Amino acid sequence: MIDLSGAWRLKQERHRAIYSFQDADAVTAAELTEKAVYGLPELNGDCIAQAQLVANPGCYATSVILALAPLLKSDLIERERGIISDSKSGVSGAGKAATSRTHFVSVADNFSAYAVFNHRHLGEMVEQLGLDDTELTFTPHLLPIPRGILSTVYVQLKRPMKPAEVESCLRDFYADRHWVRIFATPQLPQLQFSLHTNYCDLGFCLAEDGRRLVLVSCVDNLLKGAAGQAVQNMNLMYGWEEREGLQ
Amino acid sequence: MIDLSGAWRLKQERHRAIYSFQDADAVTAAELTEKAVYGLPELNGDCIAQAQLVANPGCYATSVILALAPLLKSDLIERERGIISDSKSGVSGAGKAATSRTHFVSVADNFSAYAVFNHRHLGEMVEQLGLDDTELTFTPHLLPIPRGILSTVYVQLKRPMKPAEVESCLRDFYADRHWVRIFATPQLPQLQFSLHTNYCDLGFCLAEDGRRLVLVSCVDNLLKGAAGQAVQNMNLMYGWEEREGLQ
Amino acid sequence: MIDLSGAWRLKQERHRAIYSFQDADAVTAAELTEKAVYGLPELNGDCIAQAQLVANPGCYATSVILALAPLLKSDLIERERGIISDSKSGVSGAGKAATSRTHFVSVADNFSAYAVFNHRHLGEMVEQLGLDDTELTFTPHLLPIPRGILSTVYVQLKRPMKPAEVESCLRDFYADRHWVRIFATPQLPQLQFSLHTNYCDLGFCLAEDGRRLVLVSCVDNLLKGAAGQAVQNMNLMYGWEEREGLQ
Amino acid sequence: MIDLSGAWRLKQERHRAIYSFQDADAVTAAELTEKAVYGLPELNGDCIAQAQLVANPGCYATSVILALAPLLKSDLIERERGIISDSKSGVSGAGKAATSRTHFVSVADNFSAYAVFNHRHLGEMVEQLGLDDTELTFTPHLLPIPRGILSTVYVQLKRPMKPAEVESCLRDFYADRHWVRIFATPQLPQLQFSLHTNYCDLGFCLAEDGRRLVLVSCVDNLLKGAAGQAVQNMNLMYGWEEREGLQ
């Protein structure tokens, strides 16, 4: 089973609380939470292949985790300085429900931040990245476009690095993965490049001081951020090629 | 009283039927319908000045009537050939209600016709222009913008005319009116020109045969098509200058 | 050869004139014009299969011709009453050149008519449909979206018809064709339905008088209106299935 | 004189270098640079009133400086932790020139970062705020809307504060100024609120730890970010009320 809801994504109780789930059967829920595998193939591919229950990641979480995982796993980020993800999403990310917030006139020619410090996807990010809750500041914004997420991620590196080193770190981490594309600096991905595809596009800019790093991560929230990723997970679970049905 | 609803705009029963009003008191309703003045200042300015009840026109109706009135009142249009208004409106014209139809994702990157042959504003147009119901074909469309209406109106002239004659006809009809602007051919109004103003902008193109005429009419549906026109009517009712509060 | 330009689409000199081509070699040009087949597979499929030079149709022309061909070929339209196509195109239809007209700020929140009575695609339409020049009025407009064309086409039928008859006429004409979809009234195609596909979507509304007919035609100008149609033509020329490479 | 260009905004040579000005007369240029007053009325109102040459601020700089000035002047920000402004601008901010970058099709349904670490307005910000160059990271992005700038600004406070304290700091700083509006948490300004006005709207969210602060700043880049601010400066220079001509 691949579940696109948030029901089984979170292992830690304090993160699960944000969804206010009413578990009819707490024992079963605890068992399933235990069994569920977080369905980000680039991080958990082997577990997904063995899983019976896959929790398909949130769209924002996909864009942020894929940007940060390589540098964090290599312990190159000064976590205590704080990591910031300033993320922007098209309106389909806000759901299908017709509300005053998704009315065309509310969104067009507009732009706004929302759910600062308390968006539901924050828990997924810190759990999957192994961060403390206060180490990641996540600010979602609503873009006046139908689809797509671009996250601009700010980190401080532990030591001065060169652009080529940063690029290598990203490339090595995703060496065998088809659905992440790395851009060589100074090229940056634009949101349009990944729309209507299952790609997560990653690029970066490094300051002259070699410490301040800005990462840019783009996904189509309906594909790599939702249904496309579910297909990718299905491919892994059935032992099929990761690209089946997605090209 | 200036009523922005459709309640008192229509004199003829068959047109009123489209609104399915449940008149609690049919006698009072009939009296008020009788008394109500259709609040298009460029046509009914004198009556509006004396009126106690003004029925503020529909937004589409404003754009179509102002385009056609000069030539129709001068009896220059071959009515039996049929008149067509292909009209396009921004989403605020579809109302404030949050529905699947006004959801940003339904409207953005989209365009569609609706209510062909049976839009509620059709009755106002034929009544005010003195047309038979089958002489005017009106097709509304939904534009992926927040506000504004552009109507492209097609008529056949009774005799071959020159562009200068057409322009004179329009200019003479609106000679003393501040809120209608006439464009000299080949200049055509664009929707942007009238947005955030109370102007109705009118332009036209005449075919080489001197008979086929295309009129273009632009209004901001929230101003000249609604609240702005109400203020203009208020000015007339109080004997104030027509421009008060609108510049 | 499949040529996406307008060079070989027009047979009649007065229509070719609008392109102001400077034919270096008039004799060769005349020969090629003679040989060229107008590449609308739903009309000229057999000729295209035998052709060496295919003139790929204009995007507007594709949308208008496919809407009108069934009824015109069945001689159901009162041509002398005049046919009107009020067409609306996304900005990619205006070309790739960066001009003040294609600048984002000129187009966004705007809508406008242009080239009334003299757009380049008008010649293709009348030649392919066998109309006199004055029988078709074509008004293009610029929509604030990246891609897609919707044409609203107005005709008067020679005799009162029923919706089912009109629908049959359309369905019969395109019975063996994959890339035209007919909508049953009162359903109308929206522009979004055909975007990112090679489909031309056709729908219609018939007035109660059974004579006034409004047709709605939607294509993606970059696919059925350009590159997709070229692939479809290539499939015919090579004897391949019409859908190859387009699904 | 009020100059809307960047010619006299920057005092420090290393910042001026980004404009690559060719000063025909270096002596005069140096004198004028010395005399020029940076035209942000909320910071330099008294100097502007006496000035002969006012350098009207950049649009991004206006939005960022107004967000940061109150807390920086009160020495409440931990500067060495780094300050980040993630800013998003409508397309009119990218200039009137028609380029492939401002073509409608490049911008619509798109979003992108650009000029990371080296945008021309960065110099204005650090000079006016008294920051070292590496203390401020500024990332501009291009929004698919015609106008407006929203900056999301991230700072770490020196000591845990309460939302009411932060709000007081902002309100006190702008106590006598008409054109800055402070939003009480948890209300945040949306871009739409300030469009077509001369207001800079400021709001904020404070994390539970009382240290991580997110500020949101909105301006219309064509008014408070350009022409409106020039009028405001003119009012000060002539001793007129700050609101003249702007309501």
Side-chain angles (χ1 to χ4, degrees), chain A residues 146-223:
Chain A
R147 63 203 288 176
I149 288 178
L150 184 148
S151 292
T152 313
V153 182
Y154 299 86
V155 301
Q156 179 85 359
L157 298 174
K158 286 194 168 176
R159 58 172 176 82
M161 292 177 71
K162 293 191 188 313
E165 287 179 275
V166 174
E167 192 182 328
S168 290
C169 175
L170 297 174
R171 290 200 187 281
D172 292 351
F173 193 85
Y174 296 116
D176 301 323
R177 315 305 311 200
H178 181 74
W179 292 116
V180 176
R181 294 188 295 204
I182 312 298
F183 283 62
T185 189
Q187 298 301 318
L188 287 177
Q190 299 187 11
L191 197 42
Q192 258 182 5
F193 301 165
S194 55
L195 293 188
H196 299 277
T197 81
N198 195 51
Y199 286 111
C200 173
D201 285 340
L202 296 179
F204 67 95
C205 283
L206 187 59
E208 283 191 14
D209 57 30
R211 303 286 298 278
R212 287 178 296 147
L213 178 69
V214 176
L215 293 147
V216 173
S217 169
C218 298
V219 297
D220 186 323
N221 57 302
L222 299 174
L223 292 172

Side-chain angles (χ1 to χ4, degrees), chain C residues 19-20 113 163 190:
Chain C
Y19 280 102
S20 313
Q190 300 187 10

Side-chain angles (χ1 to χ4, degrees), chain B residues 166-205:
Chain B
V166 175
E167 191 181 327
S168 289
C169 175
L170 297 175
R171 289 200 186 280
D172 291 352
F173 193 85
Y174 295 116
D176 300 323
R177 315 305 310 201
H178 181 73
W179 292 114
V180 177
R181 293 188 293 204
I182 312 297
F183 283 62
T185 187
Q187 298 302 317
L188 286 177
Q190 299 187 11
L191 195 43
Q192 257 181 8
F193 302 165
S194 54
L195 293 188
H196 299 277
T197 82
N198 195 51
Y199 285 111
C200 174
D201 284 342
L202 295 179
F204 67 95
C205 283

Side-chain angles (χ1 to χ4, degrees), chain B residues 108-109 196, chain D residues 108-109 196:
Chain B
D109 296 341
H196 299 277
Chain D
D109 296 341
H196 300 278

